Each structure stands twice: as structure tokens, then as C-alpha cells.
Amino acid sequence: MVKRNPYEQNYYPPVPTKLTRWSRVSLIWQTFRFIVLNIKILRMVRKH
Amino acid sequence: MAKLVILGAGIAGHTAALHARRKLGSQHEVIVIAPNSKWNWIPSNIWVGVGWMKPEQVTFELAPVYKKQHITFKQARAVSIHPQGDKDHAQPFVSIEYTHPDKAGQSEQVEYDYLINATGPKLNFAATEGLGPDKNSLSVCTYGHAHQTAGVLREQIERMKKGEHLKFVVGTGHGMCTCQGAAFEYIFNLEFELQKAGVRDKATITWLSNEVELGDFGIGGMLLKRGGYITHSRIFAESLFTERGLHWITQAHVTRVEKDRTHYELLNGETGVIEHDFAMLLPPFSGVGLKAYDKNGGDITSELFAANGFMKVDADYSPKPYDQWKPSDWPKTYQNPQYKNIFAVGIAFAPPHGISKPMKNPNGTPINPTPPRTGMPSGVMGRIVAYSIVDMIKGKNKPLREASMANMGAACIASAGAGLFNGSGVSMTMYPIIPDFEKYPETGRDIKYTTGEIGLAGHWIKHALHFAFIYKAKALPLWMAVPE
């Protein structure tokens, strides 16, 4: 994790936990998200 | 027989040409006039810019595709539009100058019954002193620029491997730039490539942009549902920048780029200088400089085009303050109000105003993103305008098709690092593109369709879209099944 010093620009934003970062590259979870995201995009496309 | 002339073979123009050709019988002619011989899937240029792809992977020759589709292709630059014809032409026509090596410099007048202006933007590097790949900064706007950028990046990585600490600046090179998304993708891909090369600790990377806050993207940012909160895209973007150890300077208008430093002024009037060894700064856009003449040769450019060079369509161009902007100001049919056989799509149409709030610093310098209208919306506009013209040619007494950005959603997949198992992408969807605070008073957009997340799946989608859109653009079997 990036070192953050009080009152500096990067002190305030939320940063992902280890679990969140792991889920972003987990093949099983990301395969599921791939399907979900494609459905979302197709729903969007169908609107026009 | 009707003659449809399309100026430009980018996402909007090429999509319009393919759909029009598919719907029109062979007795009608479709002509594409474009200065470049190649089609370019521009969203993948950022991967060329970090050396992950080669220019050949994001381009292909247009002539064989058009030949197969029975579309006439003239590799030429449009110079002027004559919507009333002239003393020698009863028909309206376009004057062109060939850029094809065999005919370079030759001129021609191409008559039309219907005209689609899809010329895209002029990359206006000249708006900022020292900006541009011929001067002191780099770009990923074209595959050529991106290839050059990748070469410079390789050299800088070698320097860092030898122990040097280098400074990188990525962002926008003027206060009125658009396409922050492309620069956003580039900074994350750059960071990812430096990590892969094992030199990330030798680099300071800074984002320099005209956005009022991170995550504005020229669309006024967006509110989306995340982790049990309705969160602004600013929080989402700042989190990502922090996680990757990137610094940011927003509200900046770049005034001058030198070899090793960039000068800027901020919205609060302060000025600053940032040193760099590598600067990838996008230029502002303007119209390509087309002129227009009436039948007596009188200049009517200002009737057809707005001051920024983009073509006027069915938008409400009356000047109004931000709090009076309405979604209905945005064009629906992209038809020129004066010449009903002329349409403009993609970046070529003049937007009625911005999407992000206009702002000026105490010196009077405007610093705010101009509205993006690339990618998915461009393709949709190209298709619906082609369908409208087909209806008109076939004599169908139908109203024109509509595709207002105020009633259109968009999916934006921004790469944050390319790799089959370790890459990532930010997947954003929004509906509508133009916020509508009357319909969605709390968030401006439909929260059900406005989402954002980061992960490996985003990279897979971006990579899959790369192949899908190139397949579609090559007009290979069932190309029309791939949506815009």
C-alpha cells in the first residue's frame, strides 16, 4: 500500500483493502463480473 | 439514383457508410472521402503508446473494405462545401484535394444529394506554445503519435534501469481540452508498464488536467452506487490515483510546454511550473477548417459552422448560463437546420454548450473540459443518420431518426493496465450521457444504469471490444450484429 502522510493529497481518498485488491484479479470473481458487466452494457445498448 | 457523400472514415463516418450501403440498393452511390488510407481503432492507441500493441494491430487499409462493399473511396481532404452548387454545378458539391500519393495535390468537385460531415477534429496543438509531438510533448491521438510515444517511453525506461529518477506528466495540454478519458487510460497504462519493467520506484508520475476535480471526464463527473453509498466519480478516481501512487494537479490550463517543463495557470489565478522528462499532453480539438460557399461564391462558413469550426445541427445554440442548460438543447437528428440534406455526426457536430460547468480564472482564462462525443455515441449517431438518409432516399414519409446524447447511454471501458491475468480496466456505464436533473433530481442520471468498477474483467472487455470493433469495421460476415 502507498505510504500516506497526514494533510497530503493522497491522505484523504479511500484505498482498497487487500481483499478488494485480490477480488479484482480473482479469476472466478472476475469471470462472474465479466458476465455481469456485459449484461449491463448490452442493456445500455438496447436502450438506443 | 441518389448520391450520399460521407466526409471522414472514423468511427462515425465509417459506421454511417457501412449501414447506408447495407440499406441502399446498388442504384444508389455511397462515397467516402477521407484523407487517411487506414481505419484506426483509436481507443486502442493507448496500448500502442505504451508499446503493448503495434500500429498494425489497431489499423487496416480502408480501400479493400470499401471495394468489397461497393463503396466509392476517395483518399482526399475535403476543403469546402457548396450546398447551393455554383455557376458550373446545379447540384450541391464538395471540393476535395487528394492526399492519395498517386493523385496528391489534385482537386475535384464531388456532387452530392446527401452529405454527412464526420470529419472528426483537428488536433489543435498550435493552441498552446510548445505543445505537440513535433515540439516538446507527446500524444496518443493518432497511431503514429502513439508509436512515437512508445519509442520515447522505451528510452526513458532504459534510463531508469540505469538508476536515473525521472518525472512523467500526463494529462491535457490546454484549458479547453476534451477526451480526459484517453489521458486517464494512458497514465494508468504507463504506471502499469513501469511496474512491469521494475522501475516504478524510479518514477514520479503526475496528472495535469483541466478538470475541476478528478473524475470529471468532461461529463461533469457522475454519481454512482458503490459499497452502499451514492459516490461521486471524483472519489472513485482519487482512490485509484492514490492506490497507484500518482499525484494530481487539476483546474489547470497549460500555457507553455518546454523541453523539460510545463507552465500552467490554475482556476484560482495562480501559476505553476512542473518539470518533466516525459510529457504526454492531449491537445484541444477544433473543426477541421472546412469552408462553405453559396452559389455566387460568397463565404457562408459562419452559417454552416460554429466559431470553433464544428458544424451546426438541430441543437439550441442560444447562449445561456449553466443553470439554464437543458437536455433538450442537445441535437436529436444531427440535421443542419438550413440545408436539410446535410448532417454532422461524431466530433464534427457543434455541441450547444459543455456538459461540465464553464469556469474562468481571474485572468479570464476559461478552464473546463469541452464535451466528449467519441466512441459509442459517435457510432450510434452514424447509424441513425445513415438510416434517416436511407428513409429520405427511399421516399419514406417518416420523421428523422433520433439519437440525442440526452437520451443515450454510454459504456466506457478505460484500460488501467494491459495483461490477460494481471491487467485491469475501469468499466463505467452511464445513462443518460447528458445529466437530466429534472428527470433524475438527486443524481442527474439513472442510478440503475450508472455504474463503475475496476478489475481484470474490465481489461478483458476492453480487449474483446478491440477485436469486435475491428471485425465490425472490416465488414466481415454478420458485422452488423456487433452493436455500436
Side-chain angles (χ1 to χ4, degrees):
Chain A
M1 192 180 289
V2 174
K3 184 176 181 300
R4 306 201 289 177
N5 295 320
Y7 302 102
E8 286 189 1
Q9 185 179 52
N10 68 359
Y11 188 63
Y12 302 97
V15 290
T17 60
K18 207 172 169 183
L19 176 68
T20 302
R21 282 185 281 132
W22 173 83
S23 72
R24 289 176 179 175
V25 288
S26 155
L27 289 181
I28 295 169
W29 179 244
Q30 288 301 313
T31 302
F32 171 69
R33 295 310 300 167
F34 179 78
I35 296 164
V36 171
L37 286 166
N38 275 292
I39 292 168
K40 277 185 183 177
I41 293 169
L42 285 172
R43 269 197 322 177
M44 184 76 67
V45 169
R46 273 190 17 219
K47 285 176 85 76
H48 45 72
Chain B
M1 179 191 131
K3 204 185 253 190
L4 166 61
V5 170
I6 298 166
L7 307 179
I11 292 174
H14 188 65
T15 304
L18 293 182
H19 280 291
R21 180 72 283 169
R22 183 169 72 91
K23 293 275 184 182
L24 287 171
S26 57
Q27 72 273 30
H28 303 295
E29 194 177 4
V30 178
I31 301 171
V32 173
I33 296 164
N36 300 315
S37 64
K38 290 180 178 172
W39 190 84
N40 177 203
W41 178 238
I42 292 169
S44 294
N45 283 357
I46 47 123
W47 286 336
V48 177
V50 291
W52 195 68
M53 279 190 175
K54 294 189 167 63
E56 309 84 82
Q57 291 172 277
V58 300
T59 55
F60 63 80
E61 290 291 337
L62 281 165
V65 175
Y66 286 150
K67 190 177 175 192
K68 200 170 151 196
Q69 294 297 311
H70 306 289
I71 294 170
T72 306
F73 177 46
K74 293 176 188 287
Q75 193 191 324
R77 185 174 68 89
V79 179
S80 57
I81 301 174
H82 304 255
Q84 304 166 3
D86 68 4
K87 58 181 172 32
D88 300 322
H89 299 79
Q91 282 274 99
F93 68 92
V94 181
S95 288
I96 63 170
E97 249 176 39
Y98 278 91
T99 54
H100 189 284
D102 295 347
K103 289 183 166 182
Q106 291 180 31
S107 308
E108 188 181 332
Q109 280 81 44
V110 183
E111 293 186 348
Y112 64 83
D113 296 297
Y114 296 91
L115 179 71
I116 300 177
N117 174 13
T119 45
K122 172 185 164 191
L123 304 174
N124 194 13
F125 289 108
T128 302
E129 187 186 338
L131 182 72
D134 297 335
K135 294 176 182 165
N136 299 318
S137 64
L138 299 157
S139 154
V140 290
C141 291
T142 69
Y143 60 89
H145 291 170
H147 186 55
Q148 177 191 1
T149 300
V152 176
L153 176 60
R154 269 197 306 275
E155 289 167 16
Q156 305 301 53
I157 288 174
E158 288 309 312
R159 285 175 64 188
M160 288 187 282
K161 281 183 176 170
K162 287 175 186 159
E164 282 189 72
H165 191 111
L166 301 185
K167 296 177 182 123
F168 294 76
V169 175
V170 175
T172 54
H174 189 274
M176 298 292 282
C177 282
T178 183
C179 272
Q180 287 73 17
F184 177 91
E185 288 189 86
Y186 191 75
I187 197 169
F188 286 104
N189 275 271
L190 167 71
E191 195 274 340
F192 186 76
E193 291 302 317
L194 296 184
Q195 271 192 48
K196 276 200 325 199
V199 293
R200 178 65 184 89
D201 60 326
K202 298 277 189 295
T204 302
I205 310 175
T206 306
W207 173 255
L208 179 67
S209 134
N210 58 345
E211 298 162 289
V212 67
E213 298 288 356
L214 277 185
D216 182 280
F217 297 124
I219 52 159
M222 56 186 188
L223 292 163
L224 39 93
K225 212 190 291 183
R226 279 187 66 76
Y229 288 84
I230 305 291
T231 308
H232 193 271
S233 49
R234 168 189 162 182
I235 307 296
F236 189 60
E238 285 183 352
S239 171
L240 204 50
F241 273 68
T242 299
E243 183 190 343
R244 297 286 192 93
L246 308 176
H247 307 275
W248 63 90
I249 299 166
T250 53
Q251 307 183 356
H253 164 68
V254 171
T255 51
R256 191 166 84 246
V257 186
E258 293 179 32
K259 196 178 168 209
D260 59 354
R261 66 197 60 209
T262 287
H263 301 255
Y264 58 87
E265 56 179 287
L266 296 173
L267 201 52
N268 63 11
E270 288 176 12
T271 57
V273 179
I274 183 165
E275 293 182 352
H276 51 71
D277 302 283
F278 177 107
M280 199 299 286
L281 296 169
L282 298 181
F285 292 168
S286 66
V288 295
L290 271 171
K291 305 289 280 180
Y293 298 99
D294 66 15
K295 63 182 169 193
N296 299 316
D299 193 327
I300 53 166
T301 306
S302 61
E303 284 179 30
L304 249 74
F305 295 93
N308 53 14
F310 297 120
M311 185 176 262
K312 292 177 189 171
V313 291
D314 61 320
D316 180 354
Y317 293 111
S318 54
K320 49 180 95 168
Y322 174 74
D323 58 5
Q324 288 175 28
W325 289 0
K326 286 184 183 161
S328 57
D329 298 341
W330 286 79
K332 297 178 183 68
T333 66
Y334 304 93
Q335 186 181 44
N336 181 267
Q338 205 173 340
Y339 298 98
K340 304 293 182 191
N341 58 345
I342 300 181
F343 295 77
V345 290
I347 295 174
F349 86 83
H353 42 64
I355 305 175
S356 300
K357 187 175 180 176
M359 298 188 188
K360 278 185 184 174
N361 72 8
N363 309 323
T365 307
I367 304 177
N368 57 264
T370 46
R373 45 209 189 277
T374 51
M376 191 173 175
S378 278
V380 174
M381 288 173 211
R383 173 168 51 84
I384 71 104
V385 164
Y387 286 177
S388 290
I389 291 172
V390 168
D391 288 344
M392 291 162 90
I393 290 173
K394 290 185 173 174
K396 289 184 185 169
N397 193 19
K398 276 180 157 180
L400 295 173
R401 315 278 180 125
E402 294 186 356
S404 168
M405 283 169 62
N407 197 26
M408 189 194 297
C412 177
I413 314 297
S415 173
L420 190 58
F421 298 111
N422 61 352
S424 62
V426 180
S427 308
M428 290 179 281
T429 61
M430 73 191 83
Y431 181 87
I433 299 169
I434 310 298
D436 185 343
F437 284 95
E438 281 178 20
K439 201 166 174 188
Y440 309 105
E442 291 177 351
T443 56
R445 295 191 177 93
D446 188 338
I447 210 74
K448 221 170 41 177
Y449 293 102
T450 305
T451 61
E453 69 176 72
I454 181 164
L456 181 56
H459 170 71
W460 292 342
I461 295 172
K462 172 112 185 163
H463 206 183
L465 291 177
H466 166 90
F467 292 113
F469 282 111
I470 289 178
Y471 183 94
K472 180 187 173 89
K474 285 182 174 173
L476 292 169
L478 298 175
W479 63 266
M480 67 293 292
V482 179
E484 279 74 38

